[in-house]
Amino acid sequence: MGGGVTTITGTNAINSVGATAFVANNVQSLNATGVTIVNTTQRGVEVLGTDNATGAVSLTNFFVTTTTADAVRVAGNTMGTITFNGLATTSTDGDGVTFSANAGATLVANNLIINATGSGDGFTASGGGVLTGNGTNSVDVNTGQGVNVSDMSIGAAGLMFGSVNVTAGTGNGISLSTLNGPGQLSIGS
């Protein structure tokens, strides 16, 4: 998907086994709403390579289930804004949501519900970019790490998680390092 405006609305179901179910690679304008993804062996959603200052990817009301791979991966975006409004993920041995190497991009995560029932991590953001998120963000993991945010700028709107629960983890449930920016990161009501 290169330039132009793409809009996906309605009730959309994607069942995929052998490849990432929903990929937005170098998309300059995408609005997608109401997508349910069941993907047993590969990632559910990937957003890659947004490199235009006016680029905007908005994914609303996405429901993603995976077993052995990450539910959502956003990586290598150097400009633009990537927004998730209403994202529910369930993963077994994959991670819930991973934002990595997005220096120069703005990442917005509102109303996330992340469940990692096996060894996967919940929410990870690292490697640059401006990050904000509000609403009912919640993370529940079994043995993985609940929230890991490092080397990120927290935007003026802040980043809030209403709850982070780690059931049987042996490492850090929440790890925060090298954060800057005008906003605050808060966990709890």
Side-chain angles (χ1 to χ4, degrees):
M1 296 180 143
V5 176
T6 303
T7 301
I8 301 169
T9 60
T11 303
N12 302 284
I14 302 171
N15 293 305
S16 179
V17 175
T20 299
F22 188 99
V23 178
N25 189 354
N26 193 25
V27 173
Q28 300 312 313
S29 182
L30 170 66
N31 294 304
T33 301
V35 176
T36 299
I37 295 170
V38 177
N39 193 337
T40 59
T41 61
Q42 296 295 318
R43 288 187 181 99
V45 175
E46 280 191 300
V47 180
L48 312 165
T50 301
D51 61 1
N52 183 312
T54 60
V57 175
S58 178
L59 306 179
T60 302
N61 296 331
F62 267 56
F63 303 91
V64 181
T65 302
T66 62
T67 55
T68 58
D70 301 345
V72 175
R73 177 176 174 253
V74 177
N77 299 285
T78 58
M79 293 183 186
T81 301
I82 296 115
T83 302
F84 288 92
N85 283 309
L87 170 65
T89 69
T90 300
S91 58
T92 304
D93 290 321
D95 297 338
V97 174
T98 301
F99 295 157
S100 65
N102 292 292
T106 299
L107 310 167
V108 180
N110 295 325
N111 299 309
L112 305 183
I113 300 171
I114 300 169
N115 292 299
T117 61
S119 61
D121 294 336
F123 181 88
T124 300
S126 63
V130 176
L131 177 62
T132 64
N134 291 290
T136 57
N137 292 335
S138 68
V139 178
D140 289 291
V141 301
N142 186 27
T143 60
Q145 191 168 53
V147 171
N148 177 4
V149 181
S150 63
D151 300 314
M152 299 294 295
S153 178
I154 306 301
L159 175 62
M160 188 192 105
F161 290 92
S163 67
V164 177
N165 298 306
V166 179
T167 305
T170 58
N172 295 326
I174 299 169
S175 177
L176 309 173
S177 66
T178 318
L179 304 179
N180 61 48
Q184 294 183 343
L185 188 149
S186 61
I187 297 175
S189 304

Coordinates of all heavy atoms in Angstrom, one line a residue, residues 79-121:
M79 N 8.4 8.7 10.5 CA 7.6 10.0 10.5 C 6.1 9.6 10.7 O 5.8 8.4 10.6 CB 7.8 10.8 9.3 CG 9.1 11.4 9.1 SD 9.1 12.3 7.5 CE 10.8 12.8 7.4
G80 N 5.2 10.5 10.7 CA 3.8 10.3 10.7 C 3.3 9.9 12.1 O 4.0 9.8 13.1
T81 N 2.0 9.6 12.1 CA 1.3 9.2 13.4 C 0.6 7.9 13.2 O -0.2 7.7 12.2 CB 0.2 10.3 13.7 OG1 0.9 11.6 13.9 CG2 -0.5 9.9 15.0
I82 N 0.8 7.0 14.1 CA 0.1 5.7 14.1 C -0.7 5.6 15.3 O -0.2 5.8 16.4 CB 1.1 4.5 14.0 CG1 1.9 4.6 12.7 CG2 0.4 3.2 14.1 CD1 3.4 4.8 12.9
T83 N -2.0 5.4 15.1 CA -3.0 5.5 16.3 C -3.8 4.2 16.4 O -4.3 3.7 15.4 CB -4.0 6.7 16.1 OG1 -3.2 7.9 15.9 CG2 -5.0 6.8 17.2
F84 N -3.8 3.7 17.6 CA -4.7 2.5 17.9 C -5.8 3.1 18.9 O -5.5 3.6 19.9 CB -4.0 1.4 18.5 CG -3.1 0.7 17.6 CD1 -1.8 1.0 17.5 CD2 -3.5 -0.4 16.9 CE1 -0.9 0.3 16.6 CE2 -2.7 -1.1 16.0 CZ -1.4 -0.7 15.9
N85 N -7.1 3.0 18.5 CA -8.2 3.4 19.3 C -9.1 2.1 19.5 O -9.7 1.8 18.6 CB -9.0 4.5 18.7 CG -8.3 5.8 18.9 OD1 -7.9 6.2 20.0 ND2 -8.2 6.6 17.8
G86 N -9.0 1.5 20.7 CA -9.8 0.3 20.9 C -9.1 -0.9 20.2 O -9.5 -1.3 19.1
L87 N -8.1 -1.4 20.9 CA -7.4 -2.6 20.4 C -7.5 -3.7 21.5 O -7.0 -3.4 22.7 CB -6.0 -2.2 20.1 CG -5.0 -3.4 19.8 CD1 -5.4 -4.1 18.6 CD2 -3.6 -2.9 19.8
A88 N -8.0 -4.8 21.2 CA -8.0 -5.9 22.2 C -7.1 -7.1 21.6 O -7.4 -7.5 20.4 CB -9.4 -6.4 22.4
T89 N -6.1 -7.5 22.3 CA -5.3 -8.6 21.8 C -5.3 -9.8 22.8 O -5.3 -9.6 24.0 CB -3.8 -8.2 21.7 OG1 -3.2 -7.9 22.9 CG2 -3.7 -6.9 20.8
T90 N -5.2 -11.0 22.3 CA -5.0 -12.2 23.1 C -4.0 -13.0 22.4 O -4.1 -13.3 21.2 CB -6.3 -13.0 23.2 OG1 -7.3 -12.2 23.8 CG2 -6.1 -14.2 24.0
S91 N -2.9 -13.2 23.1 CA -1.8 -14.0 22.5 C -1.4 -15.1 23.5 O -1.5 -14.9 24.7 CB -0.6 -13.1 22.1 OG -0.1 -12.4 23.3
T92 N -0.9 -16.2 23.0 CA -0.5 -17.3 23.9 C 1.0 -17.1 24.2 O 1.4 -16.6 25.2 CB -0.8 -18.7 23.3 OG1 -2.2 -18.7 23.1 CG2 -0.5 -19.8 24.3
D93 N 1.8 -17.5 23.3 CA 3.3 -17.4 23.5 C 3.9 -16.2 22.7 O 5.1 -16.0 22.8 CB 3.9 -18.7 23.1 CG 3.6 -19.8 24.0 OD1 3.5 -19.6 25.2 OD2 3.4 -21.0 23.6
G94 N 3.1 -15.5 22.0 CA 3.6 -14.2 21.4 C 3.4 -13.1 22.3 O 2.7 -13.2 23.4
D95 N 3.9 -11.9 22.0 CA 3.7 -10.7 22.7 C 2.4 -10.0 22.3 O 2.0 -10.2 21.2 CB 4.9 -9.7 22.5 CG 6.2 -10.3 23.0 OD1 6.2 -11.2 23.9 OD2 7.3 -9.9 22.6
G96 N 1.9 -9.2 23.2 CA 0.7 -8.4 22.9 C 0.9 -7.3 21.9 O 0.5 -7.4 20.7
V97 N 1.6 -6.2 22.3 CA 1.8 -5.1 21.5 C 3.3 -4.7 21.6 O 3.8 -4.5 22.7 CB 0.9 -3.9 21.9 CG1 1.3 -2.6 21.1 CG2 -0.6 -4.2 21.7
T98 N 4.0 -4.5 20.5 CA 5.4 -4.1 20.5 C 5.6 -2.9 19.5 O 5.2 -3.0 18.3 CB 6.3 -5.3 20.0 OG1 6.1 -6.4 20.9 CG2 7.7 -4.9 20.0
F99 N 6.1 -1.8 20.1 CA 6.5 -0.7 19.3 C 8.0 -0.6 19.3 O 8.5 -0.5 20.4 CB 5.9 0.6 19.8 CG 4.4 0.8 19.8 CD1 3.8 1.6 20.7 CD2 3.6 0.1 18.9 CE1 2.4 1.8 20.7 CE2 2.2 0.3 18.9 CZ 1.6 1.1 19.8
S100 N 8.7 -0.7 18.2 CA 10.2 -0.7 18.3 C 10.7 0.1 17.1 O 10.2 0.1 16.0 CB 10.7 -2.1 18.3 OG 10.4 -2.8 17.1
A101 N 11.8 0.9 17.4 CA 12.6 1.6 16.4 C 11.7 2.5 15.5 O 11.7 2.5 14.3 CB 13.3 0.7 15.5
N102 N 10.9 3.4 16.2 CA 10.0 4.3 15.5 C 10.4 5.8 15.8 O 9.6 6.7 15.9 CB 8.6 4.1 16.0 CG 8.0 2.8 15.6 OD1 7.8 2.5 14.4 ND2 7.9 1.9 16.6
A103 N 11.8 6.0 15.8 CA 12.2 7.4 16.1 C 11.7 8.3 15.0 O 11.8 8.1 13.8 CB 13.8 7.4 16.0
G104 N 11.1 9.4 15.4 CA 10.5 10.4 14.5 C 9.0 10.3 14.3 O 8.4 11.2 13.8
A105 N 8.5 9.1 14.7 CA 7.0 8.9 14.5 C 6.3 9.2 15.9 O 6.9 9.2 16.9 CB 6.8 7.4 14.1
T106 N 5.0 9.4 15.8 CA 4.1 9.6 16.9 C 3.3 8.4 17.1 O 2.6 8.0 16.1 CB 3.3 10.9 16.8 OG1 4.2 12.0 16.7 CG2 2.4 11.0 18.0
L107 N 3.2 7.8 18.2 CA 2.5 6.5 18.5 C 1.4 6.8 19.5 O 1.7 7.3 20.6 CB 3.4 5.4 18.9 CG 4.7 5.2 18.1 CD1 5.7 4.4 18.8 CD2 4.3 4.6 16.7
V108 N 0.2 6.5 19.2 CA -0.9 6.7 20.1 C -1.6 5.4 20.4 O -2.0 4.7 19.5 CB -2.0 7.7 19.5 CG1 -3.1 8.0 20.5 CG2 -1.3 9.0 19.1
A109 N -1.8 5.1 21.7 CA -2.4 3.8 22.1 C -3.5 4.1 23.1 O -3.2 4.3 24.3 CB -1.3 2.9 22.7
N110 N -4.7 4.2 22.6 CA -5.9 4.5 23.5 C -6.8 3.3 23.6 O -7.1 2.6 22.6 CB -6.7 5.6 22.9 CG -5.9 6.9 22.9 OD1 -5.2 7.2 23.8 ND2 -6.2 7.7 21.9
N111 N -7.2 3.0 24.8 CA -8.2 1.9 25.1 C -7.7 0.5 24.6 O -8.4 -0.1 23.8 CB -9.5 2.3 24.4 CG -10.1 3.5 25.0 OD1 -10.2 3.7 26.3 ND2 -10.5 4.5 24.2
L112 N -6.5 0.2 25.1 CA -6.0 -1.2 24.8 C -6.4 -2.1 25.9 O -6.4 -1.8 27.1 CB -4.4 -1.1 24.8 CG -3.7 -0.1 23.9 CD1 -2.2 -0.3 24.0 CD2 -4.2 -0.2 22.4
I113 N -6.7 -3.4 25.5 CA -6.9 -4.5 26.4 C -6.0 -5.6 25.9 O -6.2 -6.2 24.8 CB -8.3 -5.0 26.4 CG1 -9.3 -3.8 26.8 CG2 -8.5 -6.2 27.3 CD1 -10.7 -4.1 26.6
I114 N -4.9 -5.8 26.6 CA -3.9 -6.8 26.2 C -3.8 -8.0 27.2 O -3.7 -7.8 28.4 CB -2.5 -6.1 26.2 CG1 -2.5 -4.9 25.2 CG2 -1.4 -7.1 25.8 CD1 -1.3 -4.0 25.4
N115 N -4.0 -9.2 26.6 CA -3.9 -10.4 27.4 C -2.9 -11.3 26.7 O -3.0 -11.7 25.6 CB -5.3 -11.2 27.3 CG -6.3 -10.4 28.1 OD1 -6.2 -10.2 29.3 ND2 -7.4 -10.0 27.4
A116 N -1.8 -11.7 27.5 CA -0.8 -12.7 27.1 C -0.9 -13.8 28.0 O -0.5 -13.7 29.2 CB 0.5 -12.0 27.1
T117 N -1.5 -14.9 27.6 CA -1.9 -16.0 28.5 C -0.7 -17.0 28.7 O -0.9 -17.9 29.5 CB -3.1 -16.8 27.9 OG1 -2.8 -17.3 26.6 CG2 -4.3 -15.8 27.9
G118 N 0.3 -17.0 27.9 CA 1.5 -17.9 28.0 C 2.7 -17.2 28.5 O 2.7 -16.5 29.5
S119 N 3.8 -17.3 27.6 CA 5.0 -16.7 28.0 C 5.3 -15.3 27.4 O 6.3 -14.7 27.6 CB 6.2 -17.6 27.5 OG 6.1 -17.8 26.1
G120 N 4.3 -14.8 26.6 CA 4.5 -13.5 25.9 C 4.4 -12.3 26.9 O 3.9 -12.3 28.0
D121 N 5.1 -11.2 26.4 CA 5.0 -9.9 27.1 C 3.7 -9.2 26.7 O 3.2 -9.5 25.7 CB 6.2 -9.1 26.8 CG 7.5 -9.7 27.3 OD1 7.5 -10.4 28.3 OD2 8.6 -9.3 26.7

